[in-house]
Amino acid sequence: MSARALRDADELTASVARAMTGEPGIYASAHRLFVGEQGIATGATHHDSRADGAHARGCADAAAAHLWGATLRQHPAPDTAPELAMAHMVYGVLCQFRDEHRVSERWPGTRHNLDAAYDHWVLQFKASLITETQTGLLLFAVIGTARALINDQPIGPEDTDIMEGMRADVVAPKWGGLYRRMRRSRAQDAADYVAAAWAVALGVAEWLEAEAQTLPPNARRFSARAAALLAALLRPAEKPFDDLASVDLGDGKALREARARYRVFTTRFDQERNGQDLVRAALLPGYRAQIDEWLRDSPVNIAALAERLRRRWAVPVRDGWELETESGHLSAERLSLLVTSPQETRVFKQERHQPAMSAAVTVLLDCSGSMRNHQQRVVPLVELLLRVFERAGVQSEVLGFTTASWNGGQARKTWERAGRPDAPGRVAERLHMVFKSAQQSRRAASLSLAALLKPDLYREGLDGEAVQWAVQRLMGLSVSQRLLIVVSDGSPMETTTQRLNSEFYLDHHLREVLRQTAQAGQVAVMGLGLGLDLSVYYRHCLGWDDGRIVQTHSLADVLHVGFEAQRALLKRR
């Protein structure tokens, strides 16, 4: 599926989940469902929430079932001991099966999606060859049998052959009565259902532990590895559902140990420069001519896009009074008519409002080294966006961010002279660049924008600080709507900072900045990923993989996602 199709599917699944559960705060991000800043971590641990297409719809329906049925939420496992992790895993799946049964009874259309997602997991499970171990075979039989009984889903012939021995020798003799009890109570008696489910889960964990004790040491180590792989297959969505501000993409050691989430070792070498000042004046006309050449045969319909932008973003602004109306405020100028012409009704006046633009957009460009390869796409994109904004009456800025040197530069040398303290935070020379300010016209900034073609401008990126800076500049503009478009082709990267702190130090900071910006509710933010899905960072984003020539439809997609981000922000205010 294309990036736009995936985004549309995300929005559709989120809207269905909202309708089913009555929870208005559900939204999709990174192909997962969230409520507020918390991911919906269902008991359906066998569902891979990162799938797309029908599998994603099944996962969304499973998440909605989890919220609507609330079996696991209302009846959590009675024992939270860590050594019962396997029991918790089985218990969560059994509780989820009850929720899915109840949802499919009320909304039969969900059954197809839930079945497709489960069948997808079954294929993954068998392909991993875990069914060749006692651990995997037992759980395959336990889960498959439970789903067949609780959700009235027949087991396929191939799966029957795989699990038949284990089901006949272990599952049916040991827990057959509990399975029948779960089936009887699945609709009405939740307390009885979960009591039976927990008994099954404990029995599975105890049986696996007893079997492990009978194995020789080498076989036990293999069994442990199999259990770890099994856990990964059963809980594929566990980590991504952490709080968005602290998604654990790595060890995060520096962030856990430091009192502040993000530190800057020194700001002494930080710079903020105008684009025109970064390049020798003699080079700028040549760069400008190259940009004009790229734009010469552009097929983009600027007028149509500007009109579309005005229709969506214009807000009513008071524009004097409309006189001689039949309702509204009584007009002092027409009072005499009430005496001379008692039948006259047009003695009122109303405020007149006209649609007007009160909006500002900042395009924030990641100027890290890899972005140099995208100049021929990015620079025309920026130029054309500026033309659309200018024609629509939207204020605009173009900013960029990079580092003033590689590998920390003078900031790193300062850290070394200070005795190389541990976890120093950001150790780099930050460079923020203004290619076009809100006060400049597009033509006035044309040479400054040409500086984007300077090859050695592109080094490393501190995305979190750049977003903070761009948001602060937007907050200084007297408008009612503010949008920040972050154009990037990857994650934050500054070698020295990440080496001295943790690999994901800058990722954590970017997420924290975006979380704070969303909470403030004044600036909408969207990500534009160059051949990349940035939804792991940005709730509203677009993966842009257009050719060398920017098309009208691709710019329309950018503006559409920006409008969605702005509309979502207004709803949260």
Side-chain angles (χ1 to χ4, degrees), residues 83-122:
E83 59 269 19
L84 295 177
M86 188 64 75
H88 287 212
M89 199 179 296
V90 175
Y91 180 69
V93 174
L94 297 179
C95 288
Q96 180 65 24
F97 282 162
R98 176 177 183 267
D99 292 336
E100 291 181 10
H101 166 73
R102 297 181 67 217
V103 160
S104 61
E105 287 289 302
R106 179 164 183 173
W107 293 288
T110 63
R111 184 181 296 274
H112 174 75
N113 293 336
L114 292 169
D115 288 348
Y118 178 78
D119 292 343
H120 177 67
W121 172 78
V122 167

Side-chain angles (χ1 to χ4, degrees), residues 500-563:
L500 297 179
N501 295 275
S502 74
E503 182 181 357
F504 300 96
Y505 189 75
L506 298 176
D507 293 77
H508 282 268
H509 182 234
L510 174 58
R511 285 179 175 78
E512 176 66 16
V513 169
L514 292 171
R515 184 187 68 82
Q516 292 174 354
T517 302
Q519 282 187 341
Q522 298 299 314
V523 177
V525 183
M526 68 163 285
L528 182 60
L530 301 180
L532 181 72
D533 183 0
L534 292 178
S535 57
V536 68
Y537 300 112
Y538 301 95
R539 175 177 173 182
H540 299 278
C541 65
L542 179 67
W544 187 51
D545 196 18
D546 207 354
R548 290 294 181 184
I549 299 177
V550 181
Q551 305 287 335
T552 299
H553 67 81
S554 57
L555 279 186
D557 286 346
V558 174
L559 297 175
H560 176 69
V561 176
F563 173 73

Side-chain angles (χ1 to χ4, degrees), residues 239-258:
K239 285 187 177 179
F241 286 115
D242 291 343
D243 188 298
L244 281 178
S246 57
V247 173
D248 188 10
L249 294 179
D251 57 19
K253 181 179 179 181
L255 286 178
R256 291 198 301 268
E257 293 179 349

Side-chain angles (χ1 to χ4, degrees), residues 271-317:
Q271 303 178 47
E272 181 176 322
R273 306 276 300 277
N274 291 322
Q276 199 164 343
D277 299 334
L278 295 166
V279 183
R280 287 191 296 115
L283 295 176
L284 289 173
Y287 290 157
R288 185 67 244 178
Q290 177 63 74
I291 296 173
D292 294 337
E293 177 66 26
W294 288 339
L295 293 169
R296 179 164 295 132
D297 299 319
S298 172
V300 174
N301 190 332
I302 299 296
L305 291 173
E307 179 59 29
R308 184 182 302 184
L309 190 61
R310 278 194 293 267
R311 288 199 306 268
R312 289 195 165 191
W313 283 18
V315 294
V317 175

